[in-house]
Amino acid sequence: MPTNKAPFGFNLEYEYLLKIKFIAKRETRSLSNLLEHLCKLHIEQYEEKYGEIDISKEIKK
């Protein structure tokens, strides 16, 4: 099934990884889904404080 989601890898302290896996399991989410959800929440909070982020400029880079 096609998706518009871009694969993305990053480094994370092992302790944080274990804790985020624990949270994902408790919330019956995949690790990937939980991380996406947390990113979405943070972006919403950021945009509430500073205004909407204009990504059209970033896409052209």
Side-chain angles (χ1 to χ4, degrees), residues 9-38:
F10 62 97
N11 297 318
L12 183 65
E13 288 192 32
Y14 190 64
E15 178 183 348
Y16 297 154
L17 176 61
L18 293 176
K19 289 182 178 188
I20 202 73
K21 282 183 174 182
F22 176 88
I23 294 168
K25 187 173 182 178
R26 291 284 299 265
E27 294 188 4
T28 319
R29 294 179 179 264
S30 67
L31 179 58
S32 177
N33 179 267
L34 178 59
L35 292 171
E36 182 178 12
H37 176 69
L38 293 172

Side-chain angles (χ1 to χ4, degrees), residues 33-54:
N33 179 267
L34 178 59
L35 292 171
E36 182 178 12
H37 176 69
L38 293 172
C39 287
K40 180 182 176 194
L41 291 176
H42 185 70
I43 290 167
E44 288 172 357
Q45 291 171 356
Y46 183 95
E47 288 183 329
E48 272 185 29
K49 186 173 183 178
Y50 299 106
E52 187 174 349
I53 300 167
D54 180 6

